[in-house]
Amino acid sequence: MKQAVCLCVVTSDNKILAMNRNNSPQGIGLIGGKVDPGETNLQALKREIFEETGMDDLIGFIQSWHTGVDGEFETTTYIQFTSYTSEQCMTTLTSSK
């Protein structure tokens, strides 16, 4: 089964960081994507974070995760609570792009 990863970032003001997604019915989604051959889940997650946000230091302490089947993919969702506020995340994302 194909593998995918995503990251749910919960800010200090209890908001979830989401990205614009053209392939989502809702138009938004979590940071993430497919795991390439030879990559570990965390390597793929770090690569996807950089590709989608331009940030290479977003991964901190991963506090939990959940793996489930989503269509043709086995997707692992990692959850990270950050000390950044949603405003700080948006400012960092805007300046990283």
Side-chain angles (χ1 to χ4, degrees):
M1 180 167 277
K2 297 177 186 176
Q3 302 289 309
V5 292
C6 58
L7 178 65
C8 177
V9 178
V10 181
T11 63
S12 63
D13 50 348
N14 295 316
K15 300 206 175 170
I16 295 175
L17 181 62
M19 305 296 292
N20 289 329
R21 290 260 184 231
N22 293 331
N23 61 351
S24 168
Q26 297 81 18
I28 61 170
L30 300 176
I31 299 166
K34 299 173 189 169
V35 177
D36 289 339
E39 280 185 319
T40 66
N41 281 0
L42 289 179
Q43 287 170 331
L45 187 62
K46 188 168 185 168
R47 177 183 51 75
E48 288 289 343
I49 290 168
F50 184 74
E51 287 176 2
E52 295 182 14
T53 70
M55 298 171 67
D56 60 3
D57 60 350
L58 187 57
I59 291 185
F61 178 68
I62 301 291
Q63 298 195 321
S64 61
W65 63 89
H66 168 76
T67 300
V69 175
D70 180 17
E72 63 184 283
F73 289 93
E74 180 178 72
T75 302
T76 302
T77 303
Y78 295 91
I79 301 171
Q80 176 185 356
F81 294 88
T82 179
S83 60
Y84 292 117
T85 65
S86 56
E87 185 175 327
Q88 288 170 317
C89 284
M90 292 310 298
T91 300
T92 302
L93 285 172
T94 304
S95 65
S96 294
K97 287 300 240 178

